Amino acid sequence: MNAPVNTNASVNANATSNPKADVLIIGAGIAGLQASLDLADQNRQVILVERNPSIGGRMINLSKVYPTLDCASCITTPRMASASHHPNINALTYSEVKNVEKHGTGFRVTVVKKPRYIDEDKCIGCKRCEEACPVFVKDEFEHNFGAKKAISIPFTNAIPQLPVLDINNCTLCGACANACPTDCINYTQQPVETVYEVGAILVSTGYQLTPANAKPQYGGDKFTNVLTALQGERLLAPHGPFGRVLRPSDGKIPDNIAFIQCAGSRDQSIGLPYCSRVCCMYAIKQAMLLSGSLPTADITIYYMDIRAFGKGYEQFYQNAKAMGIHFVKAKVARIKETEDKNLMLRIERQEDQSQPEEVQHDMVVLSLGLKPDWNPEAINLNVHTEYDGFVKSPKAPLQPNITTMEGIFAAGAATGPKDIVDTIGEACAGAMEIENHLRRMEWRLS
Amino acid sequence: MIENNCENNGENNGDSNNISKNNISKNNCDDNSDSTNIRVGVYVCHCGGNISDVICVKKVAEGLANYPNVAISKEYVFMCSDAGQKLIIEDITSGKINRVVVAACSPALHELTFRKALQRAGLNPFLYEHVNIREQASWVHKKEPEAATQKAILLTRAGIEKIRRQEGLENIRVGANKHAIVIGGGPAGMRSAISLADRGLQVSLVESGNKLGGRLLEIDTVYPTNEKAEDILETLKTDIRARKNIGVYLNNEIANISGFVGNFQATLKNGETIAAGAVVMATGNKSYEPFEGEFGYRTQDNVVTMPEFHGILCNIRNNTSTNKDFIHNGKHIQSIAFIHCVGSRQQAETHQPQADGKLNEYCSRICCSTTLQAVNEVKKHFPNVKVFDVYRDIRTYARFTEDGLYEKASKNGTLFFRYTEEQLPTVQGKNITVKDVLTWNEEVTFEAELIVLATGIVPNNITNIVEKLKLPIGADRFLSEAHPKLRPVEVANTGVYLAGTCQAPMDLVESCVGAAAASSKAAIVLGKDHIELDPYVAFVKPEKCDGCQKCLPECSYVGAIFMNKDGKAEVNPALCKGCGACVAVCPQRALDLKGWSLEQIEAMVDAIAEA
C-alpha cells in the first residue's frame, strides 16, 4: 500500500536535472560535520552522506573525551544539531556512495539510500513501533551489550530521530504497522539511487577498531570479561547499557581491571606496524573514569611506551599516575579465563624483574588500534591509499588534505589514526583547501 | 500571598515570598509595558548523568514551576541534543513562552547553541539565560546532593529574575577590513598567507628575521619523508611570490597593535601602519635552552643541543672531502649519545624549574621523531659510529614514524636505554650513567664522545603582542585556544587566530594543518559583509552623566569610552568589551551594561539571598 515515496527514483545519470551541490562529504563523523559546517558558513551547498542511520560518527558513541573530560555528547550533539538545521547542508543518512565519476571540473556521484522500511516524511519519531515490536536484536550502538527492538531509533540522541527496521530479523508480524499512528511502515521499501553533481568531494570516512580477535591469544572474541575499547567506552558512558560499571559475565562490580596497550597496533605480526595514536590516551581516560566510579578498584595499564603527546596530555597522564593508576611496562603474552570468569594474564615485565609471571584480573580492556573504515579504491575514485590502508597524502607536509585525485580531499582518521582535536583541525583545514579549489576551478552552482 | 504585584501572570500562581516585589513591577513596567506578557520556559538538563547523578533534576523543575512568570518548567536528559532543542522551539512557536532559561552546563559550552535555537524559533536570541548547575553545583557538591539541588534551584531562580528583566538585543554590526596580518614567517605563517591570499584577501606577512622559513631554516631534511627542508621552503616561497596580494615584511616586528575584529591597526617597527580585519598568530617556537650544567651543557664542550647537532651534521656533509668521517672540533667521533626529554615532561621532584619558576610539564611532541631521524642519519652515513639513545618513552606517533624511524633505529645497531623521571641520567665528561629500566633497573655507565640533548620546544617571546591584544596564555606559556574541540584555532578575542606552534608543540604537518584551519576561520569571518559582535556593551544615560570623568581611567580598552562634545561620557560599542569597570565607578549610575544591568544583577542577588 505504501509505495516507496521518492521523487528522485526516476532520475537517471544522464538527465540534466541531477541535483547539484558545491561539495559532497562522505562520512558524517566529527570531521565531516566540522568541514560541512565551515563550508556551509561560507555559503557553499553541502551534501553530507552518512552510511549509518544517524550522523555523529564514532564520537557520539564515546563516554567522555580527553583531556578535558567533557562528555562526548556535549561536544558532538550541538554540531549534529547545527549541521542538520543548517540551510546549506543536506544530510543524507543511511546512504552510501556507490560510484563517482569525473564530470567537467567536478564529479557525478551516485548515492544509494538504503531502505529504513518507513516513510520518512510521515514518521514523527514517536517510538510506538519500537514499543510494539516483539523482536529483540543485538544493540550495535552498545557494542552488543544489551538489546534493542528489531525496529528502533538507533540511539537516544540520534539525528534524525527515525527508526530503522532490521529486515533480516523482522518476523513481519505487523505489530509496528498496527501501532504506527501515521501509517508509515513500509515492508517493501526499496533502495533508491540518486545522482548528484558536485564541485568537490571530501573523504572523511574515519576509522574502525582492529578486530577483537586480531590477537587470538588475548581471547577478545571468546572471554566475556575481555572488552574492546569501545565496549569500555559504553560501560562508562552516562547512558551506557547497564547504567553503571559492572562486568558483563555476572554483573559483579569489577575491582581489579587491566588495560592492555597496543593490543592492535605497533605489531608486525598482525600486519599493523603503525602507532594508532589514541589508545594510550583513551586507556588513561577510561582508567580515570573507572577510578572515579569505583574508587577502591585496582587499575593497571600494561604498556610499551606511553604516548601522551598532545596539548595537556602529558599532564593528564601524570594526573592519572597521581590518582594511583598503575602503569606497568610489560608485554602481555596471553590471557586465559579461569573458572569464575576471571582472567589470568601471562606478562613479561620490561622493568624490574624481567621474568614471565601470571597476574589475575577480573576484567580486561583491550586497547585496540585504528584501521581505515572505508577503502576509496573500492569505487574507482582514483584516490589511492598507502600500505597502511589509509588515504595517501602526496602533498603531506604542506597540504595533507590533498589526495591523489584532484578535487577530492580527505580529513580526519581517513588519512591515518588521529584524535578528536587533530581531526577537527584537519577538517577545518580541509574546508579551506576545498573552498580554494572551488575558487580556482571557478565552480558555480547554476 | 499569591497576588504579588508582579501583575499576576494568569498562567502562573507564583510564590511571592522570594521576589523583591518593587523591583519586578517597576522594571517590567519600564521594559515591557505589561509584565503578564513575560512567559519564561525553564528547562533543566540531566547532562547525561553529569548533573542528574547528584542533583534531583525533577525537584529543580518542579520547584520552579510556580515561580512568577514561569510558564513551563521541564527536565530533559540532554537539552543540547536536537530533541532537547526541539522542546524549546515547540514551546516558543506554540506561543507558550517568550523567554528561556536552561539550567545545564557552563555557558561557555552551550549558550550559543541555545541562542541559535531561539533564533530558529523566531525569538530574539538574547531573551535567553544559561544557568550553570554543572560546574557550579553538581560537580563541586558531589557529596551533598540535597544541598546541590537547593543550590541549583537558587541559581536558576536568579537566572529567571535576570531574564524577566531582559529586553531583546541586537548584535553590533561592524564593517570588515578585507586584509589579514600574519605574524611570523615560518611554515605556518607562510601557509596561512598563501591560503588567505587565495581567498582574495590582502595579506601582510611580518617576519622578525631577515628571511622567511622560521625553524625550517635550521634543518636539513624533514621526517618522515626525508624531503629537503630547503625544497619545501622553496615551494612555499614560490607560492608566495606568485601571489600579488601578499606583502612580505622582513626584519620587521609589530611595534604596536590594537583594535577589534574587522578593524585592527598595527604599527610596524619601521613605522609603517597596517589596517587589517584579522590577525593570524604564527609566532612559532624556539628550541629549549638548557641551563648551564644541565647534562653538562656549556660546562663540557662535548655536549650540544639538537639544533646545534643539526648544524654539525650539515657542516660535515657539506664538506665533501672529509665527509666520510664524523669529525667534530678536529676530533674523530666514534660514539654519540642522544638524551631525550631535555626541557620537556619536567616534574617537580627531579627537575629544576625554569627562570619563571615554572616547569615545562608538557611533551614537546616532535623530539622523539627528530632524534630518531638524526640517529638514522648518523647510522646511514657513518655506520661505524656507535649510537646510544637514552629515552623515557618513544613517542613516534605520527604517520610513518613508528615503522619508518623507530623500527629502522631498532634494527641498525642503535642501543636504547630507558630512564624514568625518578632518576635522570647523569653526564660526567664522556661518561653517561643511566638507571636503565630495560636491564632490571641496573645503573649502566657508558662512554660517548659527543652527547646530544634532544631539546624540547618553547614558545617564542611575544609579550608585546600578548599584552597589546590581551591574548590568553596557558600554564605552559603557549597561547590558549578558546576550546580544544569547539574552537581549536580561535582565542576568546574574536579576530585573532592561532596557526601552528604558538599554540602548542607540533610537527611540520600539524603546523600546516593548524595554519590552514586558522586561515579558514579568518576567511569565513572576513568573507561576510558585516561582522557581528556581542551586544553586551556599556551605554551612557546622558541625562544622568555629570561629566566627572571617573570612568575614563577605569577603561582598559583604548577608545572604548570617551568624553563627547557635550561633556558627557560616550561609549564606542565596537571597542567596548562589556567588562563593566566603568559602570562600577559611576557615582551617578549613568552607566549601565546591556544584558547585564545593575538592576538585573541586584535582582539575581536578591533571588539567592532572600531564599
Side-chain angles (χ1 to χ4, degrees):
Chain A
M1 268 196 303
N2 286 329
V5 180
N6 205 308
T7 47
N8 291 331
S10 62
V11 173
N12 84 46
N14 298 320
T16 50
S17 56
N18 288 338
K20 289 186 177 66
D22 295 305
V23 186
L24 183 132
I25 294 181
I26 312 176
I30 192 64
L33 289 170
Q34 179 65 47
S36 61
L37 287 167
D38 280 3
L39 286 160
D41 281 347
Q42 301 171 70
N43 272 331
R44 291 293 179 184
Q45 298 294 319
V46 180
I47 293 169
L48 183 56
V49 184
E50 171 55 49
R51 186 175 61 186
N52 290 309
S54 170
I55 57 174
R58 294 277 173 213
M59 190 175 166
I60 192 67
N61 197 230
L62 307 180
S63 54
K64 298 193 176 183
V65 287
Y66 61 79
T68 46
L69 290 182
D70 284 314
C71 77
S73 289
C74 301
I75 311 285
T76 328
T77 43
R79 292 278 163 92
M80 291 162 67
S82 304
S84 71
H85 292 300
H86 206 295
N88 296 342
I89 299 176
N90 178 11
L92 307 173
T93 50
Y94 214 42
S95 298
E96 287 187 41
V97 171
K98 188 179 152 196
N99 188 44
V100 177
E101 54 192 75
K102 194 95 187 97
H103 177 70
T105 59
F107 301 91
R108 267 195 183 143
V109 188
T110 311
V111 177
V112 183
K113 185 161 178 43
K114 299 180 276 189
R116 282 186 164 94
Y117 302 99
I118 61 155
D119 180 340
E120 295 175 10
D121 295 330
K122 285 205 249 164
C123 176
I124 54 168
C126 69
K127 294 190 165 193
R128 297 240 177 104
C129 52
E130 199 171 318
E131 287 154 18
C133 177
V135 181
F136 284 92
V137 297
K138 282 183 177 174
D139 189 346
E140 297 122 16
F141 188 76
E142 300 296 352
H143 301 282
N144 300 342
F145 284 164
K148 62 171 185 180
K149 295 295 184 65
I151 183 165
S152 56
I153 291 176
F155 52 95
T156 323
N157 32 18
I159 294 180
Q161 284 279 307
L162 294 172
V164 178
L165 189 145
D166 175 350
I167 203 77
N168 296 323
N169 288 301
C170 173
T171 59
L172 296 173
C173 71
C176 54
N178 287 336
C180 179
T182 63
D183 198 19
C184 75
I185 309 287
N186 174 1
Y187 296 110
T188 59
Q189 201 172 46
Q190 295 298 311
V192 178
E193 272 187 31
T194 310
V195 176
Y196 295 92
E197 285 177 18
V198 297
I201 294 173
L202 179 73
V203 178
S204 53
T205 45
Y207 69 90
Q208 54 178 312
L209 282 190
T210 54
N213 61 357
K215 285 178 86 69
Q217 58 270 43
Y218 290 166
D221 53 342
K222 287 186 301 208
F223 307 144
T224 339
N225 293 329
V226 176
L227 274 55
T228 69
L230 282 173
Q231 287 179 321
E233 290 292 330
R234 292 315 299 161
L235 205 59
L236 290 159
H239 261 75
F242 311 132
R244 61 205 173 102
V245 176
L246 43 82
R247 66 175 200 169
S249 73
D250 49 11
K252 188 185 136 221
I253 293 169
D255 69 5
N256 189 359
I257 304 147
F259 287 83
I260 303 180
Q261 296 312 107
C262 301
S265 318
R266 302 181 63 190
D267 192 339
Q268 294 280 10
S269 73
I270 58 168
L272 251 136
Y274 54 84
C275 166
S276 291
R277 288 176 70 137
V278 297
C279 332
C280 282
M281 288 303 291
Y282 75 58
I284 297 172
K285 171 202 72 183
Q286 289 189 13
M288 274 185 166
L289 295 175
L290 275 173
S291 135
S293 344
L294 312 172
T296 58
D298 270 326
I299 303 166
T300 309
I301 298 183
Y302 296 103
Y303 73 100
M304 299 210 282
D305 296 280
I306 290 294
R307 295 189 164 168
F309 55 82
K311 186 169 186 171
Y313 295 3
E314 176 68 20
Q315 295 89 324
F316 191 79
Y317 166 41
Q318 298 302 339
N319 287 346
K321 282 212 248 179
M323 281 170 77
I325 290 156
H326 308 295
F327 287 83
V328 177
K329 188 169 165 76
K331 216 33 205 159
V332 178
R334 62 162 184 266
I335 301 178
K336 281 185 177 166
E337 195 179 50
T338 66
E339 251 173 40
D340 47 5
K341 303 278 179 195
N342 284 342
L343 301 150
M344 192 63 85
L345 276 60
R346 188 171 178 80
I347 67 164
E348 185 182 7
R349 286 177 192 268
Q350 292 178 337
E351 52 192 16
D352 305 328
Q353 299 304 312
S354 179
Q355 284 159 356
E357 57 182 296
E358 306 259 319
V359 194
Q360 187 164 290
H361 291 279
D362 54 10
M363 195 168 84
V364 169
V365 182
L366 298 181
S367 291
L368 298 172
L370 270 50
K371 306 201 305 181
D373 201 16
W374 190 62
N375 182 359
E377 287 171 340
I379 58 162
N380 197 23
L381 275 174
N382 225 1
V383 172
H384 298 311
T385 55
E386 286 278 4
Y387 67 87
D388 57 11
F390 292 100
V391 173
K392 184 173 181 155
S393 299
K395 299 205 170 171
L398 298 179
Q399 294 174 284
N401 300 103
I402 289 179
T403 71
T404 44
M405 178 71 190
E406 194 185 14
I408 302 185
F409 300 82
T415 59
K418 219 155 279 144
D419 65 24
I420 296 166
V421 173
D422 289 345
T423 292
I424 292 174
E426 211 176 86
C428 296
M432 180 82 198
E433 297 288 1
I434 289 174
E435 175 62 27
N436 283 356
H437 171 80
L438 293 174
R439 281 169 181 250
R440 244 184 340 266
M441 294 287 131
E442 296 178 352
W443 169 268
R444 267 191 199 87
L445 276 183
S446 48
Chain B
M1 139 185 184
I2 290 166
E3 263 65 34
N4 64 68
N5 52 358
C6 183
E7 269 62 290
N8 238 345
N9 182 339
E11 292 171 48
N12 291 304
N13 295 323
D15 170 0
S16 70
N17 288 342
N18 299 315
I19 329 153
S20 78
K21 306 174 181 180
N22 297 331
N23 272 351
I24 291 165
S25 53
K26 239 189 257 158
N27 292 332
N28 286 348
C29 292
D30 287 351
D31 300 346
N32 309 276
S33 51
D34 184 0
S35 83
T36 54
N37 282 338
I38 295 176
R39 298 181 299 280
V40 182
V42 177
Y43 303 85
V44 187
C45 182
H46 296 215
C47 196
N50 275 308
I51 292 169
S52 58
D53 285 351
V54 177
I55 289 171
C56 178
V57 284
K58 200 169 167 219
K59 220 184 231 178
V60 178
E62 282 172 358
L64 295 164
N66 293 326
Y67 201 73
N69 287 100
V70 172
I72 285 175
S73 185
K74 295 179 177 170
E75 27 120 0
Y76 188 69
V77 57
F78 280 116
M79 279 311 298
C80 61
S81 71
D82 205 39
Q85 294 184 42
K86 218 178 243 170
L87 281 179
I88 299 174
I89 291 171
E90 278 166 10
D91 290 340
I92 295 171
T93 48
S94 64
K96 287 186 196 140
I97 57 167
N98 55 18
R99 300 277 195 287
V100 178
V101 173
V102 173
C105 53
S106 154
L109 230 58
H110 284 320
E111 188 173 53
L112 200 61
T113 311
F114 292 111
R115 284 202 197 290
K116 282 186 178 162
L118 262 67
Q119 215 160 14
R120 287 204 299 279
L123 195 60
N124 183 294
F126 296 95
L127 296 174
Y128 172 76
E129 185 60 22
H130 195 98
V131 178
N132 183 353
I133 60 167
R134 192 178 77 171
E135 281 85 341
Q136 293 177 4
S138 69
W139 279 1
V140 281
H141 306 297
K142 271 205 170 104
K143 295 192 175 136
E144 300 152 284
E146 298 252 318
T149 306
Q150 271 313 309
K151 185 173 176 184
I153 294 175
L154 289 181
L155 290 172
T156 315
R157 278 185 189 182
I160 299 168
E161 289 298 346
K162 180 170 177 234
I163 204 66
R164 55 196 291 198
R165 290 164 177 78
Q166 180 68 49
E167 47 182 344
L169 300 173
E170 296 299 327
N171 279 319
I172 297 160
R173 298 176 107 199
V174 295
N177 204 325
K178 311 279 180 195
H179 187 134
I181 304 179
V182 179
I183 309 177
M190 295 166 89
R191 275 299 311 154
S192 288
I194 295 163
S195 302
L196 288 163
D198 284 351
R199 287 303 177 80
L201 297 167
Q202 191 67 37
V203 183
S204 299
L205 178 59
V206 183
E207 164 59 40
S208 59
N210 59 4
K211 47 183 152 177
L212 293 175
R215 294 202 65 194
L216 263 186
L217 293 165
E218 292 172 20
I219 55 176
D220 187 26
T221 58
V222 302
Y223 70 79
T225 51
N226 263 335
E227 279 171 272
K228 285 286 219 188
E230 59 187 86
D231 294 346
I232 293 174
L233 209 46
E234 201 43 53
T235 310
L236 287 167
K237 281 189 194 162
T238 311
D239 281 351
I240 285 182
R241 279 193 292 265
R243 284 162 179 77
K244 299 250 172 332
N245 48 347
I246 302 179
V248 179
Y249 298 81
L250 295 176
N251 289 316
N252 226 317
E253 271 173 53
I254 302 289
N256 204 349
I257 186 161
S258 63
F260 53 94
V261 59
N263 296 276
F264 289 100
Q265 289 84 37
T267 311
L268 302 183
K269 202 174 64 178
N270 69 359
E272 234 177 291
T273 57
I274 303 170
V279 177
V280 174
M281 297 294 291
T283 48
N285 72 87
K286 58 185 177 192
S287 181
Y288 167 75
E289 171 87 12
F291 59 83
E292 192 173 307
E294 187 171 7
F295 299 111
Y297 188 66
R298 278 205 253 131
T299 52
Q300 292 181 199
D301 61 2
N302 66 333
V303 178
V304 298
T305 62
M306 185 56 80
E308 287 163 353
F309 182 73
H310 279 138
I312 295 170
L313 207 56
C314 266
N315 282 342
I316 297 172
R317 293 186 52 196
N318 290 340
N319 189 342
T320 43
S321 58
T322 58
N323 67 1
K324 295 281 177 288
D325 295 305
F326 200 111
I327 295 169
H328 173 54
N329 284 348
K331 273 188 264 177
H332 266 77
I333 302 289
Q334 305 287 350
S335 53
I336 306 176
F338 293 83
I339 301 178
H340 286 248
C341 293
V342 179
S344 310
R345 300 182 67 192
Q346 296 183 327
Q347 288 188 6
E349 301 78 35
T350 31
H351 291 90
Q352 180 176 321
Q354 301 302 304
D356 60 0
K358 286 183 183 168
L359 291 159
N360 294 347
E361 293 177 333
Y362 56 89
C363 164
S364 289
R365 198 163 169 148
I366 60 160
C367 348
C368 279
S369 293
T370 305
T371 304
L372 290 174
Q373 193 202 21
V375 161
N376 292 340
E377 282 291 292
V378 171
K379 275 292 184 190
K380 184 174 158 197
H381 298 288
F382 314 100
N384 295 326
V385 173
K386 276 191 208 153
V387 177
F388 306 100
D389 186 295
V390 185
Y391 74 102
R392 277 172 70 182
D393 290 283
I394 293 288
R395 293 183 167 173
T396 42
Y397 65 89
R399 201 175 183 190
F400 310 129
T401 56
E402 174 74 14
D403 32 354
L405 296 174
Y406 189 23
E407 184 78 22
K408 199 185 263 178
S410 318
K411 286 178 179 160
N412 64 16
T414 303
L415 280 181
F416 286 87
F417 299 86
R418 182 170 191 255
Y419 71 97
T420 67
E421 64 278 13
E422 280 141 35
Q423 195 171 337
L424 303 183
T426 54
V427 173
Q428 281 289 328
K430 287 181 189 170
N431 289 330
I432 299 178
T433 306
V434 192
K435 192 168 179 216
D436 179 30
V437 169
L438 303 175
T439 48
W440 310 286
N441 264 333
E442 263 178 35
E443 256 189 21
V444 183
T445 302
F446 56 89
E447 276 190 10
E449 288 165 327
L450 184 64
I451 297 169
V452 184
L453 308 181
T455 40
I457 65 183
V458 293
N460 273 320
N461 184 357
I462 48 166
T463 318
N464 180 34
I465 305 169
V466 165
E467 280 172 4
K468 297 269 158 56
L469 285 177
K470 300 199 161 44
L471 299 178
I473 298 279
D476 54 9
R477 297 183 221 89
F478 288 90
L479 289 170
S480 280
E481 63 283 334
H483 187 283
K485 296 184 182 75
L486 296 172
R487 293 170 69 198
V489 292
E490 294 160 73
V491 294
N493 332 27
T494 29
V496 181
Y497 304 91
L498 307 182
T501 53
C502 61
Q503 181 182 13
M506 292 180 194
D507 68 14
L508 179 60
V509 182
E510 292 155 353
S511 295
C512 290
V513 165
S519 31
S520 183
K521 294 291 177 196
I524 292 172
V525 168
L526 297 188
K528 299 199 168 127
D529 296 336
H530 292 282
I531 295 170
E532 297 205 326
L533 303 176
D534 277 348
Y536 307 117
V537 293
F539 66 99
V540 183
K541 298 169 191 157
E543 70 281 5
K544 286 191 178 174
C545 176
D546 63 1
C548 73
Q549 305 198 10
K550 284 196 173 127
C551 48
L552 298 188
E554 296 303 319
C555 182
S556 315
Y557 303 93
V558 182
I561 192 162
F562 57 94
M563 301 308 287
N564 64 18
K565 58 180 189 307
D566 303 331
K568 310 264 185 187
E570 192 174 322
V571 174
N572 179 344
L575 290 168
C576 175
K577 301 279 180 209
C579 71
C582 57
V583 178
V585 294
C586 180
Q588 304 301 325
R589 289 179 69 126
L591 277 152
D592 213 342
L593 213 55
K594 292 230 165 110
W596 285 101
S597 72
L598 291 168
E599 281 167 3
Q600 283 177 312
I601 292 169
E602 282 159 6
M604 292 171 81
V605 173
D606 286 347
I608 294 171
E610 286 180 15

